[in-house]
Amino acid sequence: MPLYVNRRSDPSYPTPLEPVIYTFFAILLFTEGTGRGRHLEELELQAGDIHLLPPGIPHHAIDAKNLRGWLVAFDPTLLRLLGQEQWPGQPRITGEPRPEPLRSLFIRGLFRLRPEPPRLRRIQHFISELDTELRQSRWGAEGAARSFFTLLITELIREMQEHAPLVPPLLGGLVRDALTFVETHCLEPISLQEVAAAVGRTPAYVANAVRRETGLTVGDWLREHRMSEARRQLLETAASVERIASQVGYADVTHFIRTFRRAHGMTPRVWREQHRRAPI
């Protein structure tokens, strides 16, 4: 199975000095300690937090020497093999009339959950049992591992459906609305003017607000979404680069390839070849 579990319990476990980019989907569950990390901005890390990191997103553990917990890494296609919905799904946000820009938070590695103790214990139990099955390789281990993985994903999706993610405090209402519009229409040929019209402000006002609160421009966010979908299609489909370019909002395939190369350091074709054969 394209699935891996690692428990971090050694205080001497090395912390990478530079940001890293996973080629796989990662679930990080912190069970002890506190620390600091950086995705889009610096975040406090603490026991009880679950971070969901999609592939291709830079992240950096600035200070994690006191943190203990679990890493579950898997090929994103495994979700579809299990019949699960594509993450992050559509959580029901209690007490929040405004829709959250969930996918924007998700593709930037900002999607966090903090389950109540009973669910947190179940999640940790499923990860521990999954680890046991993968390490001991007993008869029926693959089927048992698949079952525990399904239970784990089910609990996480339930948590997403029942509770809002921990949205970083930097996102004000206008920026949330703008990012939600961008992620809803990201595969269409939208402009800053259309985003501004959707939130009832001038283009200059929206551009400044988004840049000030997120560190990225509206165009940056649009590119993030398009590149995320491009990576998914490169990994999970046999579609040509030309077809993928048109499906993620680029009429000019040369522009798409140039944009992809700037973001990933290689062309879409080379990225597909490397990541399809890269083991977890």
Side-chain angles (χ1 to χ4, degrees), residues 14-65:
T15 298
L17 298 178
E18 301 293 334
V20 297
I21 301 176
Y22 291 155
T23 59
F24 46 83
F25 200 112
I27 300 168
L28 297 174
L29 166 61
F30 299 124
T31 56
E32 297 178 44
T34 59
R36 293 180 298 119
R38 177 177 292 278
H39 301 309
L40 179 58
E41 85 283 351
E42 190 167 310
L43 298 171
E44 294 297 322
L45 310 176
Q46 63 182 26
D49 280 356
I50 298 175
H51 288 247
L52 310 179
L53 300 178
I57 303 302
H59 61 280
H60 187 194
I62 299 172
D63 178 11
K65 60 181 178 296

Side-chain angles (χ1 to χ4, degrees), residues 199-212:
V199 298
R201 298 297 179 91
T202 66
Y205 188 94
V206 173
N208 290 334
V210 171
R211 181 65 178 268
R212 182 178 62 252

Side-chain angles (χ1 to χ4, degrees), residues 110-122:
L110 291 170
F111 206 90
R112 288 180 289 165
L113 302 171
R114 187 171 292 160
E116 293 296 323
R119 174 164 285 157
L120 184 63
R121 286 193 293 269
R122 287 197 300 275

Side-chain angles (χ1 to χ4, degrees), residues 250-267:
Y250 292 89
D252 181 358
V253 66
T254 302
H255 182 206
F256 167 69
I257 293 173
R258 188 163 53 244
T259 302
F260 192 95
R261 180 185 289 162
R262 282 200 302 268
H264 302 86
M266 63 189 76
T267 66

Side-chain angles (χ1 to χ4, degrees), residues 181-201:
F181 182 84
V182 167
E183 70 182 42
T184 302
H185 301 278
C186 61
L187 304 185
E188 305 168 14
I190 62 173
S191 64
L192 173 60
Q193 287 72 20
E194 290 171 289
V195 177
V199 298
R201 298 297 179 91

Side-chain angles (χ1 to χ4, degrees), residues 41 51 64 72 76 94 98 101 122 134 136 158-160 164 175 182 190 220 222 235 243 257 265 268:
E41 85 283 351
H51 288 247
V72 179
T94 304
R98 184 185 298 113
R122 287 197 300 275
L134 292 175
Q136 296 186 358
R158 285 174 175 172
E159 180 67 20
M160 286 189 282
V175 173
V182 167
I190 62 173
D220 290 336
L222 184 60
L235 280 176
R243 179 171 177 78
I257 293 173

Side-chain angles (χ1 to χ4, degrees), residues 88-110:
Q90 297 297 323
R92 181 175 68 253
I93 312 259
T94 304
E96 175 60 75
R98 184 185 298 113
E100 298 284 2
L102 297 178
R103 186 160 173 77
S104 293
L105 299 175
F106 188 70
I107 67 172
R108 292 299 296 176
L110 291 170

